[in-house]
Amino acid sequence: MDAVPRTHEDIEAQIREIQARKKTAPEPEPTENEDKVGLGQTGVFDRDIYGGGKYDGYVTSIAADDEAEEEEGAELPAPKRSTYTAPKALLNEGTDKDFDPFADRRRPTIADREDEYRQKRRKLMISPERVDPFAEGGKTPDVGSRTYTEIMREQMLRGEESEVRKKIADKAKEGTLNGDKAKKRGRWDQAAEPEPSAKKKGTSTTPGRSWEEDSATTPAHTRWDETPGHVGQTPGATPGQSTRMWDATPGHITPGHDKGATSARRNRWDETPKTERETPGHSGWSETPRIDRVAPEDTPSASKRRSRWDETPLVAQTPQTPSMTPSMTPTATPVGPKAMGLATPTPGHLVSMTPEQLQAFRWEREIDERNRPLADDELDSMFPPGYKVLPPPAGYIPIRTPARKLTATPTPMAAQGTPAGFFMQKEEVGPSKYMENQPKDLPFLKPEDAQYFDKLLQDVDEDSLPQEEQKEIKIMRLLLKIKNGTPPMRKSALRQITDKAREFGAGPLFNQILPLLMSPTLEDQERHLLVKVIDRVLYKLDDLVRPYVHKILVVIEPLLIDEDYYARVEGREIISNLAKAAGLATMISTMRPDIDNIDEYVRNTTARAFAVVASALGIPSLLPFLKAVCRSKKSWQARHTGIKIVQQIAILMGCAILPHLRSLVEIIEHGLVDEQQKVRTITALAIAALAEAATPYGIESFDSVLKPLWKGIRTHRGKGLAAFLKAIGYLIPLMDAEYANYYTREVMLILIREFQSPDEEMKKIVLKVVKQCCATDGVEAAYIKEEILPHYFKHFWNHRMALDRRNYRQLVDTTVEMANKVGAAEMIGRVVDDLKDENEQYRKMVVETIEKIISNLGAADIDSRLEELLIDGVLYAFQEQTSEDAVMLNGFGTIVNQLGKRVKPYLPQICGTILWRLNNKSAKVRQQAADLISRIAVVMKTCLEEKLMGHLGVVLYEYLGEEYPEVLGSILAALKAIVNVIGMTKMTPPIKDLLPRLTPILKNRHEKVQENCIDLVGRIADRGPEYVSAREWMRICFELLELLKAHKKAIRRATVNTFGYIAKAIGPHDVLATLLNNLKVQERQNRVCTTVAIAIVAETCSPFTVLPALMNEYRVPELNVQNGVLKSLSFLFEYIGEMGKDYIYAVTPLLEDALMDRDLVHRQTACAAIKHVALGVYGFGCEDALIHLLNYVWPNIFETSPHLVQAFMDAVEGMRVSLGPIKILQYTLQGLFHPARKVRDVYWKIYNSLYIGGQDALVAGYSRIANDPKNQYQRYELDYVL
């Protein structure tokens, strides 16, 4: 190809040459990179050009087995791609198999949010009731009852058992169990052991994993096993076989199947797969499915791998009802509860289903019901007359193939543990039996509640039942109403269960409430209600609760570690009431066994519960017990829990531990030198908690622990050291200055060494301790500057710290605390260069630190060079941010505001940045720029940069067309800030142009826009109303009425104030007419805000301009309007105060009329108005009008409506102030000793409030009572005065 072909013959020759060369060319090497697509790897192309065959890389035959065969050592060529597509990793990205599209609609249960530790509560057993040693005068308990001795013995046995198991596991791990080093068996190993009967029962040669047990081990009964029975007597199981759930299906194992095997336990994985391809007629795909697979004459040699799909579906047999026990005899296909929908369960059977199954069952039934064929009668009712049913054509055969019908999924059946294939379900027409079986006159029973409330579903004559069962059903009914009922139903049920608590008895009540509380499907609201029931019941039962204390604690203690704050509060409340009801002795004897429980979860919750008991019954009563527990020699767990109780008491009770501080420290001080590491750690943490609670007092109580603590920080490492450092960190602030200085220098050596620790928890504690040391008086600035700062900045101020949120917060706080000692310039100088760091999170941390330092200390000691660096760095950090959040904005705003006038030279640059960012395409950037203007407007005014502000005002005005409401709200806030500082006269654009532009924005429904817009309009109405025509103000008035509907109170408040400003500007009449019209609307909130606005207009423009029109409006015979007028009068007199003396006589007839109205609300609102009138005219001689009004108020004394009762009491209180307590006492005395209790109650209520308000003034009004032989009513000195 040296010469370029010129003629046609040359070209032809060259083509022939290339083709010949191609034929002889070797095949190219296949590429290994599967993620990239080669040109020849897709589609069916011309093989002459691209090479390769159409079917290269395809499998040409399919294996008869279920599993693909793998030939050893053979590498299959990579299959050719048939299409161009993205890599699999990209396609799978964002897809989650467990994604639930309805997750946000589902009501979350408590179990959903619990972590693994908190889920342990569900494994705890609700213990049987215990003996009350104080019952019946402390008589000897019956034989066999659960006494303290019994429980402690059980506890000891459990502890020993766990110890033995632990030792066995350890020995098995080492391989030294029974002296022979057994090879660790793999899960897949073939079992080739002698028959199990030859071995002794107890011997074990394997580690304790269930899948590694060989034939020698006794079949273990785990929680997944079948219902416990005698080993080897499971129906349908081969004797001697393991009864694990995942074993081979017994039905598949033929009698002759295992003859050659010596292993007692067979697994489906243990068999070598036999394909038997060479045997003709045995291909799994071609052979006819046979039912005789399990025939006795089948020999192992003829056995081959079978699939469950090979079976022909058998004829439907009598369906079995779901069994109660989840793990039945193991079979290949799940039966029992898993085989849902076999037949419609009766209420009794529903109990055995899990909530999820019941829910699915309901849905299936509902869908079946909806999709059933319409009957002839139904079709007749739907069609108009004249239609008839056509006969089917001759020879028509309807399709009856079940596969074509929409039926339930075929469910495998089980008869005597043998799989019997499938049967197709018949469709059942009619509503679900479950739906039919809802209890009558009770709330809806959720599927998951069925197991607790199943007795309510049975239709029985309750009178014929024994007394105990009747009681149980009554309690069940009440609990269902409380759990699932409507609020009124719940309220009455709660009252009934409380009143009858002693009649029902503690046992029946708690036996039903407590299992409900342990339910895995419980929701927060339901738990709250059930806990409320326990709380109410405890008050009634009092000491009857003693045998059930442990039961209740098992259920309630987990609440103490719940992540929900209110759940923790409720838990503390219940345990506190329980302690008061049962008494200290019962609480201690009940909880003592749990203190050294082998389970850490139980110990943890018990310690917290003991702390609550201490707070309820007083720390001194618990001190002797704590002293004994903390010195326990038997188990370190008891010591650990005892010390933890002290720690929890300190956390729970705060400074209330001060009177007992020395005792508590003495109880736990020996723990610092305990031989157990965990005990030493918890002791240090307990001392830290005590010191924190005692701050700033009590250092003398800690004298005895200072020495071991100091020794401890030198000998400990890791978690132990962290705890000791924490304790010292809380003790140093309690010390006097010189001691604090000395101890800080001592501990700082260790702290500086630990600065290098990689452990996040250690870093957090070290930072906290450094902060506490630096905040203490005795530590000098010079010491911090020289000794601490160099190491501190070297080890902590790095990118890694900025990425961890908790450490980030602690680091910022510690740096700010140090700056308080060494000064702002010193700290800012060290970090200012980092404002230009490449890591954004780190820059944010620097900005936040500088912001806090400057806002605390000001910018006085920052020199000009540092000032330049600071502004330059902050501008860089502000411009370079990729995610806009409040940190940069707050930092920039605070720095500019603190520098004040010094920022003048930089303002043009700052404003340039702002203007540039206002034009950015990102909404967040624009919003942040506008927010920054509102932060720095005051500084611009201080720097006399009005021209610059005018320019910013014009730019913001141009941006009022912003489409994002968040950004528009910030632009309005910036305009408001500029209007505030520049004034109305100098504002550009002028107010007359700005306000009409704001009127349509008032229609915007976004809260931020509404709030900022109404603030801006209100400010203009207040400061510069003359720049805008009255018509424009009226237009704004109409817009403002809509704003009264806003959800946010600040918007409504700003709106009613704006009405006042507008009324002041254009006169009250037009505004008032608009507002009075608005009283006719239906929406209550709107009317209330309108009444407030009317009152504000009256206050602004004097009441005489408003009252005539307002009182005239009362003549409108419409309830809402009249109530609105009364409410306006109430607010009006509240606002005008003592000006009310001029108007009281004018409104008295109106109030008279309202107080005689049949409508409760009229009288209620009139009472509220009278309260404000009475308080306003106090001391102005209007008593005649007030007494006249009081005569109209007093008949409402026996009203039962809570709102009217409150309004009446308020009115009487107002009258007490203006008329004096004696005048009200004269009205009250007539009913104090009335024969009817209901009358007495009300009068005594009024007397009590009188007594509270004017105790001394009442003395003169008490009636004179003559002395009698029994009593001497002396008042002689008062008689002298009178």
Side-chain angles (χ1 to χ4, degrees):
M1 280 183 63
D2 295 339
V4 180
R6 302 283 179 195
T7 63
H8 181 70
E9 289 79 12
D10 291 347
I11 292 168
E12 288 291 328
Q14 191 168 357
I15 290 169
R16 280 195 296 275
E17 185 188 340
I18 291 168
Q19 286 176 344
R21 201 182 305 155
K22 269 226 174 109
K23 282 177 186 170
T24 57
E27 281 284 310
E29 289 283 317
T31 55
E32 289 180 9
N33 196 342
E34 288 185 6
D35 276 335
K36 296 190 175 69
V37 180
L39 190 60
Q41 284 187 303
T42 81
V44 182
F45 296 119
D46 189 338
R47 293 177 60 181
D48 290 337
I49 300 174
Y50 300 108
K54 182 177 177 180
Y55 298 110
D56 282 4
Y58 279 71
V59 177
T60 52
S61 66
I62 298 173
D65 278 33
D66 286 353
E67 294 170 21
E69 57 184 62
E70 290 178 19
E71 294 177 28
E72 284 192 22
E75 286 187 18
L76 289 173
K80 303 281 182 185
R81 293 170 190 263
S82 57
T83 55
Y84 291 102
T85 179
K88 197 176 280 185
L90 281 177
L91 289 175
N92 291 341
E93 192 177 357
T95 58
D96 181 7
K97 288 177 186 171
D98 302 327
F99 175 69
D100 181 3
F102 297 108
D104 53 337
R105 300 277 172 207
R106 199 159 285 128
R107 292 176 70 178
T109 61
I110 296 162
D112 291 342
R113 64 154 195 261
E114 282 179 330
D115 55 22
E116 193 181 347
Y117 183 72
R118 290 190 175 94
Q119 280 171 359
K120 287 186 180 179
R121 72 182 174 87
R122 297 215 294 277
K123 294 178 187 169
L124 299 178
M125 183 185 75
I126 300 182
S127 56
E129 61 195 76
R130 301 181 175 185
V131 168
D132 177 9
F134 303 103
E136 300 175 31
K139 70 163 192 173
T140 312
D142 301 333
V143 180
S145 53
R146 281 171 63 79
T147 58
Y148 178 74
T149 321
E150 283 294 316
I151 292 149
M152 284 306 285
R153 193 178 294 131
E154 284 173 23
Q155 188 75 11
M156 213 155 39
L157 275 172
R158 218 173 290 137
E160 284 174 14
E161 182 189 351
S162 94
E163 282 295 313
V164 171
R165 284 184 185 281
K166 196 178 170 190
K167 282 177 186 169
I168 290 172
D170 290 346
K171 282 192 174 182
K173 209 175 282 179
E174 295 161 14
T176 56
L177 196 61
N178 282 0
D180 61 337
K181 301 207 172 189
K183 171 183 169 286
K184 187 170 177 181
R185 292 268 325 274
R187 168 176 184 171
W188 318 107
D189 292 348
Q190 277 286 15
E193 300 286 334
E195 285 297 311
S197 53
K199 285 240 178 184
K200 285 182 187 173
K201 255 187 183 178
T203 50
S204 165
T205 54
T206 52
R209 298 260 177 104
S210 60
W211 57 77
E212 288 167 1
E213 291 171 6
D214 74 341
S215 54
T217 54
T218 312
H221 287 278
T222 63
R223 57 183 287 213
W224 302 114
D225 286 345
E226 66 204 20
T227 317
H230 294 296
V231 179
Q233 291 189 4
T234 316
T238 314
Q241 272 191 311
S242 159
T243 52
R244 288 194 327 145
M245 182 173 173
W246 305 113
D247 281 352
T249 315
H252 272 194
I253 298 170
T254 59
H257 186 81
D258 244 356
K259 280 174 189 167
T262 50
S263 166
R265 174 168 170 240
R266 298 281 305 196
N267 229 327
R268 61 179 282 206
W269 309 107
D270 293 338
E271 299 179 37
T272 315
K274 300 191 188 81
T275 57
E276 298 184 5
R277 262 179 157 180
E278 67 284 352
T279 315
H282 269 73
S283 163
W285 296 100
S286 60
E287 85 182 10
T288 314
R290 304 203 319 263
I291 315 173
D292 57 355
R293 295 280 174 141
V294 286
E297 53 272 7
D298 266 2
T299 56
S301 61
S303 160
K304 63 178 276 305
R305 296 280 310 276
R306 286 185 298 276
S307 166
R308 57 185 285 200
W309 307 111
D310 296 344
E311 308 289 352
T312 310
L314 290 191
V315 196
Q317 298 180 2
T318 314
Q320 292 184 340
T321 47
S323 153
M324 184 75 183
T325 317
S327 355
M328 298 172 59
T329 308
T331 51
T333 338
V335 293
K338 294 177 186 168
M340 287 160 29
L342 304 185
T344 310
T346 57
H349 297 134
L350 282 170
V351 180
S352 60
M353 288 196 185
T354 64
E356 292 80 6
Q357 289 169 352
L358 275 169
Q359 188 66 27
F361 177 75
R362 280 170 56 206
W363 286 338
E364 191 180 307
R365 283 279 170 256
E366 193 177 329
I367 288 166
D368 284 353
E369 172 60 21
R370 288 182 185 179
N371 292 340
R372 69 182 172 79
L374 292 170
D376 287 351
D377 296 342
E378 289 170 317
L379 287 167
D380 289 343
S381 66
M382 287 162 70
F383 288 120
Y387 285 86
K388 64 174 184 175
V389 181
L390 286 174
Y396 167 72
I397 302 167
I399 295 176
R400 302 211 181 273
T401 319
R404 307 268 181 99
K405 288 185 180 179
L406 278 171
T407 55
T409 313
T411 312
M413 295 302 303
Q416 303 303 321
T418 310
F422 300 109
F423 79 101
M424 307 313 291
Q425 288 206 145
K426 291 175 185 170
E427 287 188 32
E428 292 187 15
V429 180
S432 153
K433 292 267 181 72
Y434 179 74
M435 294 296 182
E436 282 177 359
N437 277 312
Q438 284 294 323
K440 295 174 183 65
D441 308 323
L442 284 173
F444 179 74
L445 191 65
K446 292 193 263 185
E448 54 266 27
D449 294 338
Q451 57 179 315
Y452 303 108
F453 299 104
D454 55 331
K455 290 194 177 173
L456 298 178
L457 298 172
Q458 296 164 8
D459 199 10
V460 288
D461 179 19
E462 286 184 27
D463 297 334
S464 62
L465 294 173
Q467 192 68 32
E468 287 304 311
E469 283 194 40
Q470 283 185 32
K471 203 183 284 183
E472 188 185 350
I473 286 173
K474 274 182 196 167
I475 295 170
M476 210 176 268
R477 195 171 282 126
L478 290 172
L479 283 176
L480 183 60
K481 284 180 181 176
I482 291 167
K483 185 174 177 289
N484 294 353
T486 58
M489 197 186 278
R490 194 182 290 155
K491 198 173 178 183
S492 72
L494 200 54
R495 187 176 294 125
Q496 282 180 56
I497 207 166
T498 312
D499 294 342
K500 293 182 179 173
R502 286 186 90 87
E503 181 191 318
F504 286 142
L509 276 169
F510 290 125
N511 288 341
Q512 293 203 45
I513 299 170
L514 299 179
L516 265 175
L517 269 166
M518 295 289 268
S519 163
T521 53
L522 205 64
E523 293 165 16
D524 280 302
Q525 165 73 353
E526 294 170 344
R527 178 173 70 181
H528 164 72
L529 293 166
L530 292 170
V531 166
K532 200 173 182 179
V533 174
I534 293 183
D535 199 19
R536 300 271 180 92
V537 162
L538 278 180
Y539 277 119
K540 287 284 183 180
L541 292 174
D542 205 39
D543 56 349
L544 293 180
V545 85
R546 282 181 186 145
Y548 305 93
V549 169
H550 195 264
K551 261 185 196 297
I552 297 168
L553 285 173
V554 166
V555 176
I556 298 296
E557 277 177 357
L559 290 182
L560 298 176
I561 57 169
D562 197 276
E563 61 190 30
D564 177 22
Y565 168 75
Y566 296 102
R568 296 199 297 274
V569 170
E570 278 179 341
R572 287 201 283 268
E573 185 74 14
I574 294 277
I575 293 173
S576 175
N577 292 337
L578 187 61
K580 287 169 189 166
L584 180 69
T586 304
M587 294 305 286
I588 288 177
S589 64
T590 305
M591 293 161 79
R592 166 65 190 87
D594 289 340
I595 278 181
D596 48 6
N597 193 297
I598 43 177
D599 187 358
E600 190 275 332
Y601 176 85
V602 175
R603 298 201 303 272
N604 179 14
T605 50
T606 305
R608 288 163 195 269
F610 257 120
V612 178
V613 171
S615 73
L617 304 178
I619 295 175
S621 57
L622 213 61
L623 281 177
F625 170 71
L626 280 178
K627 195 168 188 177
V629 169
C630 292
R631 293 192 176 277
S632 164
K633 289 192 172 63
K634 273 189 191 170
S635 67
W636 68 265
Q637 284 98 336
R639 297 197 297 277
H640 184 278
T641 313
I643 293 163
K644 189 163 197 163
I645 293 170
V646 174
Q647 180 205 21
Q648 292 299 326
I649 289 173
I651 292 167
L652 185 65
M653 298 186 68
C655 62
I657 59 150
L658 276 168
H660 322 287
L661 185 57
R662 189 180 289 278
S663 315
L664 290 169
V665 173
E666 282 169 3
I667 283 173
I668 64 172
E669 63 186 10
H670 66 275
L672 289 173
V673 291
D674 198 277
E675 71 269 9
Q676 264 287 339
Q677 169 67 44
K678 283 184 177 175
V679 176
R680 296 199 293 273
T681 304
I682 194 70
T683 309
L685 291 173
I687 287 168
L690 287 168
E692 186 179 8
T695 307
Y697 309 105
I699 186 61
E700 55 284 345
S701 303
F702 292 100
D703 283 342
S704 55
V705 295
L706 287 177
K707 196 174 176 185
L709 277 175
W710 249 261
K711 197 176 171 193
I713 60 172
R714 286 177 171 74
T715 55
H716 284 80
R717 286 282 187 281
K719 265 191 180 175
L721 176 60
F724 275 68
L725 285 174
K726 189 174 182 183
I728 287 170
Y730 280 106
L731 285 174
I732 285 177
L734 311 185
M735 297 177 181
D736 296 335
E738 64 273 18
Y739 287 110
N741 187 12
Y742 168 74
Y743 281 114
T744 298
R745 286 172 183 274
E746 289 292 312
V747 78
M748 201 50 76
L749 300 169
I750 309 288
L751 286 172
I752 289 171
R753 184 192 77 205
E754 290 301 322
F755 278 1
Q756 304 169 35
S757 166
D759 182 30
E760 299 299 324
E761 199 60 33
M762 178 62 92
K763 277 183 183 169
K764 204 156 93 317
I765 287 171
V766 165
L767 282 169
K768 177 89 173 158
V769 177
V770 169
K771 179 188 168 188
Q772 288 164 324
C773 291
C774 292
T776 311
D777 285 343
V779 183
E780 300 101 358
Y783 172 71
I784 295 174
K785 212 179 284 186
E786 291 159 19
E787 299 292 328
I788 304 174
L789 287 188
H791 301 284
Y792 178 76
F793 278 99
K794 180 182 169 189
H795 290 111
F796 285 124
W797 276 85
N798 53 44
H799 293 174
R800 188 174 171 193
M801 290 296 282
L803 297 173
D804 182 1
R805 191 72 205 156
R806 288 194 311 170
N807 284 347
Y808 167 112
R809 176 73 33 236
Q810 191 66 57
L811 182 60
V812 171
D813 291 348
T814 306
T815 310
V816 171
E817 196 59 61
M818 285 175 155
N820 291 343
K821 269 284 165 61
V822 300
E826 175 69 33
M827 296 305 272
I828 292 172
R830 284 176 181 269
V831 295
V832 74
D833 291 333
D834 291 337
L835 284 169
K836 292 191 173 181
D837 192 90
E838 74 276 1
N839 184 309
E840 185 177 0
Q841 194 60 30
Y842 186 63
R843 290 200 301 267
K844 275 183 188 165
M845 186 166 79
V846 175
V847 169
E848 191 173 342
T849 306
I850 292 174
E851 181 221 332
K852 288 190 172 176
I853 291 172
I854 285 188
S855 58
N856 279 356
L857 304 171
D861 60 341
I862 293 176
D863 59 22
S864 57
R865 174 70 187 137
L866 188 53
E867 171 196 306
E868 280 175 25
L869 287 170
L870 189 56
I871 294 287
D872 184 38
V874 167
L875 265 172
Y876 174 84
F878 188 73
Q879 285 170 317
E880 289 298 316
Q881 56 185 326
T882 52
S883 60
E884 286 68 27
D885 58 11
V887 175
M888 287 292 180
L889 183 65
N890 294 339
F892 205 149
T894 306
I895 290 165
V896 170
N897 279 300
Q898 290 292 344
L899 285 171
K901 276 190 176 175
R902 296 163 64 179
V903 93
K904 185 177 172 75
Y906 313 107
L907 277 177
Q909 190 184 354
I910 292 171
C911 289
T913 302
I914 289 172
L915 288 170
W916 178 72
R917 288 175 79 82
L918 270 176
N919 209 10
N920 195 296
K921 69 171 185 283
S922 163
K924 284 239 175 101
V925 173
R926 298 199 298 274
Q927 181 187 339
Q928 200 187 37
D931 285 335
L932 188 56
I933 295 176
S934 50
R935 302 282 173 101
I936 65 171
V938 178
V939 179
M940 291 170 82
K941 168 75 170 152
T942 314
C943 298
L944 306 172
E945 289 282 358
E946 287 180 359
K947 188 179 171 193
L948 204 51
M949 288 171 75
H951 178 52
L952 282 175
V954 172
V955 172
L956 289 168
Y957 174 72
E958 287 167 1
Y959 281 121
L960 282 176
E962 171 63 56
E963 58 180 324
Y964 286 93
E966 292 285 345
V967 186
L968 182 56
S970 294
I971 289 170
L972 288 165
L975 271 170
K976 182 176 68 181
I978 292 174
V979 168
N980 281 349
V981 296
I982 207 172
M984 299 294 157
T985 47
K986 297 178 184 174
M987 178 63 190
T988 54
I991 297 299
K992 64 179 174 52
D993 295 336
L994 178 60
L995 196 72
R997 189 75 186 75
L998 295 175
T999 313
I1001 296 175
L1002 285 169
K1003 288 192 176 81
N1004 193 310
R1005 285 286 153 265
H1006 193 274
E1007 277 190 354
K1008 186 179 177 184
V1009 176
Q1010 279 184 332
E1011 191 173 359
N1012 286 302
C1013 194
I1014 190 66
D1015 281 350
L1016 181 51
V1017 170
R1019 185 51 54 97
I1020 293 171
D1022 185 21
R1023 301 274 179 84
E1026 63 278 7
Y1027 296 106
V1028 186
S1029 66
R1031 182 169 290 154
E1032 186 63 41
W1033 282 125
M1034 276 313 295
R1035 194 176 293 127
I1036 284 175
C1037 269
F1038 287 116
E1039 296 294 345
L1040 290 181
L1041 290 176
E1042 283 299 304
L1043 286 181
L1044 293 176
K1045 295 176 185 169
H1047 294 296
K1048 201 170 183 185
K1049 192 176 180 181
I1051 297 170
R1052 301 199 300 270
R1053 191 188 294 124
T1055 306
V1056 294
N1057 287 333
T1058 307
F1059 273 117
Y1061 299 137
I1062 295 173
K1064 198 174 180 181
I1066 64 169
H1069 304 294
D1070 290 333
V1071 177
L1072 191 60
T1074 309
L1075 289 169
L1076 287 173
N1077 268 335
N1078 208 42
L1079 284 177
K1080 295 186 173 73
V1081 299
Q1082 280 301 311
E1083 201 180 352
R1084 182 180 174 275
Q1085 180 182 293
N1086 210 331
R1087 292 201 311 275
V1088 170
C1089 291
T1090 305
T1091 58
V1092 176
I1094 291 170
I1096 286 176
V1097 170
E1099 184 193 12
T1100 315
C1101 305
S1102 298
F1104 65 84
T1105 57
V1106 171
L1107 267 177
L1110 192 58
M1111 291 169 70
N1112 186 53
E1113 197 70 19
Y1114 188 77
R1115 293 163 61 190
V1116 175
E1118 195 182 324
L1119 216 59
N1120 282 348
V1121 175
Q1122 292 185 343
N1123 279 332
V1125 170
L1126 288 166
K1127 201 136 190 104
S1128 296
L1129 286 175
S1130 171
F1131 286 125
L1132 190 149
F1133 279 102
E1134 183 182 355
Y1135 292 165
I1136 64 173
E1138 56 192 41
M1139 281 162 67
K1141 67 182 188 299
D1142 303 322
Y1143 306 102
I1144 181 171
Y1145 294 100
V1147 298
T1148 299
L1150 190 150
L1151 292 172
E1152 252 179 55
D1153 181 79
L1155 285 165
M1156 289 190 293
D1157 201 286
R1158 286 183 64 181
D1159 181 38
L1160 281 176
V1161 183
H1162 269 64
R1163 284 178 278 150
Q1164 175 192 323
T1165 322
C1167 283
I1170 286 168
K1171 169 183 120 177
H1172 293 300
V1173 170
L1175 290 171
V1177 301
Y1178 166 62
F1180 289 106
C1182 304
E1183 282 78 10
D1184 50 348
L1186 289 176
I1187 287 179
H1188 180 64
L1189 286 170
L1190 180 58
N1191 290 329
Y1192 283 95
V1193 169
W1194 200 260
N1196 292 292
I1197 190 167
F1198 297 121
E1199 285 294 346
T1200 52
S1201 159
H1203 293 292
L1204 181 49
V1205 168
Q1206 188 57 51
F1208 169 79
M1209 292 300 290
D1210 287 345
V1212 170
E1213 284 288 294
M1215 294 291 189
R1216 175 182 64 75
V1217 172
S1218 293
L1219 296 173
I1222 291 178
K1223 181 59 71 179
I1224 308 297
L1225 180 68
Q1226 289 164 350
Y1227 278 78
T1228 310
L1229 285 171
Q1230 58 186 331
L1232 286 179
F1233 303 103
H1234 193 278
R1237 185 174 60 81
K1238 282 198 171 175
V1239 175
R1240 288 199 307 274
D1241 282 352
V1242 180
Y1243 275 92
W1244 276 104
K1245 185 179 177 185
I1246 294 170
Y1247 175 74
N1248 287 338
S1249 73
L1250 272 181
Y1251 189 80
I1252 291 165
Q1255 183 181 351
D1256 48 349
L1258 283 176
V1259 175
Y1262 291 138
S1263 49
R1264 240 180 246 174
I1265 303 171
N1267 294 341
D1268 57 40
K1270 272 189 181 178
N1271 301 302
Q1272 299 262 319
Y1273 306 102
Q1274 283 193 331
R1275 232 180 26 171
Y1276 308 127
E1277 289 83 355
L1278 192 64
D1279 288 342
Y1280 307 149
V1281 179
L1282 295 173

